[in-house]
């Protein structure tokens, strides 16, 4: 209705499509991947057994099966109307030029996933593999994702169950106590080395909650996985925080990314959309910025062209 000239609305696909319908009338709509990135993750502490007594998160073949069972492109198409590409690494949300795309090795491959399920059964001596998925029930995108997972998991021979919770419970008792089996939530990326280096703290084996942020409990004292990779990752984390030399930092970032991907500690899914629209026949100088700087970052350069 031209009551406003510029908007950065919540990233609902219905809103995006409504704005894009105005493009023939002069609206300029730009949809970009934002700094908030969603990921699938495994709990490695003993609390997961309260959620799923049959959890086999400590088995690498099982985790690889999950990574190959997820159709990330379908998830993006269904949840974000195909407006962005799936993530091949969380590093993309911080510094795309540094990303190795380390999770690209896990393509959507139901047959391969089924083979890894069989290998996990052989490793664990189980006749069946079960996953219990938990996330926030009052986030429409995550609810939709949980529904999509039903067919993806059952198609590769994994028994699957959704146990979603209100966000206050999930981000309170569940997260703090590690009481989930397979989970999903988001972190916020920021440009530059500082934010990227800081995110590695959330997998630091030496920093479990409440003092640290390794809610996954990968490599912590009570973890089901403590090995050479968790020990090396702890070393890398310390080295990252002891230098400002890019020639030192970049190889360490690459090594840490590969360790997390090769061990399937998490599965990056997608970055949330950040949308902006402007009436281009009225306002010039507007440049969409999907980072935390937001869409008003250069507003001193905006000017009217219709007056």
């Amino acid at each position: 209705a031209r009551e406003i000239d510029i908007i950065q609305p919540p990233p609902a696909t219905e809103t995006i499509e409504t704005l894009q319908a105005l493009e023939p009338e002069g609206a300029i709509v730009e949809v970009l991947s934002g700094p908030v990135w969603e990921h699938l993750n495994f709990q490695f502490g003993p609390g997961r057994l309260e959620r799923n007594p049959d959890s086999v998160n400590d088995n690498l073949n099982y985790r690889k099966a999950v990574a190959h069972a997820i159709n990330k492109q379908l998830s993006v198409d269904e949840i974000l109307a195909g407006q962005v590409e799936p993530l091949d690494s969380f590093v993309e949300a911080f510094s795309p030029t540094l990303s190795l795309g380390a999770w690209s090795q896990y393509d959507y491959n139901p047959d391969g996933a089924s083979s890894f399920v069989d290998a996990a059964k052989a490793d664990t001596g189980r006749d069946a593999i079960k996953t219990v998925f938990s996330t926030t029930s009052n986030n429409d995108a995550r609810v939709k994702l949980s529904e999509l997972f039903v067919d993806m998991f059952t198609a590769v021979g994994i028994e699957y169950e959704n146990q979603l919770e209100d966000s206050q419970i999930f981000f309170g008792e569940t997260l703090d106590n590690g009481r989930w089996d397979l989970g999903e939530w988001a972190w916020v990326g920021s440009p530059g080395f500082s934010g990227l280096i800081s995110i590695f703290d959330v997998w630091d084996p030496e920093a479990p909650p409440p003092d640290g942020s390794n809610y996954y409990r990968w490599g912590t004292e009570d973890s089901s996985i403590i090995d050479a990779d968790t020990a090396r990752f702890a070393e890398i984390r310390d080295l990252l925080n002891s230098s400002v030399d890019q020639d030192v930092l970049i190889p360490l970032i690459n090594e840490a990314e590969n360790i997390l991907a090769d061990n399937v500690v998490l599965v990056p899914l997608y970055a949330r959309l950040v949308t902006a629209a402007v009436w281009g026949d009225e306002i010039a100088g507007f440049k969409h910025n999907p980072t935390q700087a937001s869409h008003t970052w250069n507003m001193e350069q905006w000017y009217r062209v219709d007056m």
Side-chain angles (χ1 to χ4, degrees), residues 187-204:
W187 292 109
V188 181
S190 59
F193 280 91
S194 177
L196 178 54
I197 289 170
S198 295
I199 195 62
F200 288 108
D201 289 351
V202 306
W203 301 289
D204 182 8

Side-chain angles (χ1 to χ4, degrees), residues 4 66 80 83 111 113 123 136 172 222 224 255:
I4 57 174
V66 171
L80 302 176
Q83 297 279 355
D111 291 337
D123 292 341
T136 56
D222 62 348
S224 59
E255 184 181 358

Side-chain angles (χ1 to χ4, degrees), residues 28-212:
I28 298 173
V29 183
E30 191 168 10
V31 182
L32 300 174
S33 297
V36 180
W37 55 279
E38 302 277 343
H39 72 299
L40 194 64
N41 58 76
F42 304 87
Q43 172 57 235
F44 296 99
R48 76 186 195 281
L49 300 175
E50 297 179 33
R51 180 75 65 173
N52 178 14
D54 298 319
S55 173
V56 292
N57 287 350
D58 52 345
N59 184 270
L60 180 57
N61 282 319
Y62 162 70
R63 301 196 301 275
K64 287 183 176 180
V66 171
H68 282 294
I70 302 301
N71 188 338
K72 293 197 286 187
Q73 187 61 59
L74 176 63
S75 301
V76 168
D77 290 344
E78 291 290 327
I79 296 171
L80 302 176
Q83 297 279 355
V84 296
E85 293 297 318
L87 289 177
D88 282 330
S89 174
F90 66 91
V91 178
E92 296 172 25
F94 296 85
S95 184
T97 59
L98 297 181
S99 173
L100 300 176
W103 278 263
S104 61
Q105 62 185 295
Y106 304 113
D107 60 333
Y108 173 55
N109 185 346
D111 291 337
S114 296
S115 296
F116 281 118
V117 170
D118 291 338
K121 289 179 180 178
D123 292 341
T124 60
R126 296 174 182 267
D127 295 328
I129 300 294
K130 182 178 179 180
T131 294
V132 176
F133 178 65
S134 299
T135 189
T136 56
S137 60
N138 44 349
N139 180 300
D140 292 342
R142 292 174 183 156
V143 172
K144 179 64 175 178
L145 188 66
S146 72
E147 295 169 349
L148 293 172
F149 281 169
V150 174
D151 290 339
M152 295 180 195
F153 278 77
T154 55
V156 302
I158 298 176
E159 296 181 9
Y160 179 86
E161 180 181 348
N162 281 323
Q163 290 188 11
L164 277 54
E165 300 175 330
D166 181 86
S167 59
Q168 290 188 336
I169 297 175
F170 184 78
F171 289 121
E173 298 175 9
T174 297
L175 195 67
D176 290 345
N177 295 294
R179 291 178 182 151
W180 78 90
D181 180 33
L182 184 68
E184 198 267 331
W185 70 82
W187 292 109
V188 181
S190 59
F193 280 91
S194 177
L196 178 54
I197 289 170
S198 295
I199 195 62
F200 288 108
D201 289 351
V202 306
W203 301 289
D204 182 8
E206 298 175 346
D211 298 325

Side-chain angles (χ1 to χ4, degrees), residues 231-257:
R232 176 55 183 162
F233 191 91
E235 292 176 357
I236 292 173
R237 184 266 170 197
D238 293 341
L239 292 170
L240 286 171
N241 284 274
S242 62
S243 177
V244 294
D245 186 343
Q246 293 188 18
D247 292 335
V248 173
L249 295 175
I250 292 175
L252 291 171
I253 290 169
N254 294 159
E255 184 181 358
E257 178 185 352

